[in-house]
Amino acid sequence: MAKQWTRWQDWVALVVGVLVALSPLVVTTAGEPGALTTLIVLGVLLAATSLWSLYSPGVVATEYVHAVLGVLLFLAPFVFTYVGLGGAAWTSWIGGIVAVVAGLWAVPVSTKAHKELAQH
């Protein structure tokens, strides 16, 4: 049976979410208000869903949410026009890729945990 707080992919997503949310303290977002808001909001959402997934390892939907948030994070510099802000853009791109990989990597593990919980 899957244990709470043990899936490494969710811990990776949590760390990425926290780092993205806190990144405006380190990288410049000046001149692009969309960058500041996007990094904080998507980072907090990623961290929150990671905590939910760590607490409820049998909920498969949260892993897909990580992947979707990762895609949104990757596309954000283009949509909110902060490609020119190197630190903020790279934070979005790298954080987005890691979130997608971690989320999709956890889907089979979460699906297995869901099936185990359904049998009990």
Side-chain angles (χ1 to χ4, degrees):
M1 179 123 95
K3 291 184 178 180
Q4 294 176 320
W5 310 104
T6 59
R7 194 166 37 236
W8 67 267
Q9 297 94 333
D10 295 329
W11 283 106
V12 168
L14 176 63
V15 169
V16 169
V18 169
L19 290 176
V20 168
L22 295 177
S23 68
L25 297 172
V26 180
V27 299
T28 184
T29 56
E32 295 296 337
L36 175 68
T37 305
T38 301
L39 289 171
I40 292 172
V41 169
L42 290 179
V44 167
L45 287 173
L46 184 57
T49 58
S50 299
L51 288 171
W52 179 16
S53 187
L54 283 163
Y55 180 75
S56 301
V59 179
V60 183
T62 56
E63 309 309 337
Y64 289 109
V65 172
H66 294 161
V68 169
L69 289 171
V71 170
L72 293 175
L73 193 56
F74 185 85
L75 295 175
F78 303 107
V79 174
F80 295 105
T81 65
Y82 62 92
V83 174
L85 299 176
W90 279 103
T91 299
S92 290
W93 294 327
I94 293 170
I97 290 169
V98 172
V100 168
V101 170
L104 294 179
W105 197 326
V107 168
V109 180
S110 185
T111 302
K112 181 181 175 190
H114 179 73
K115 288 178 182 177
E116 288 176 359
L117 290 171
Q119 291 175 353
H120 288 98

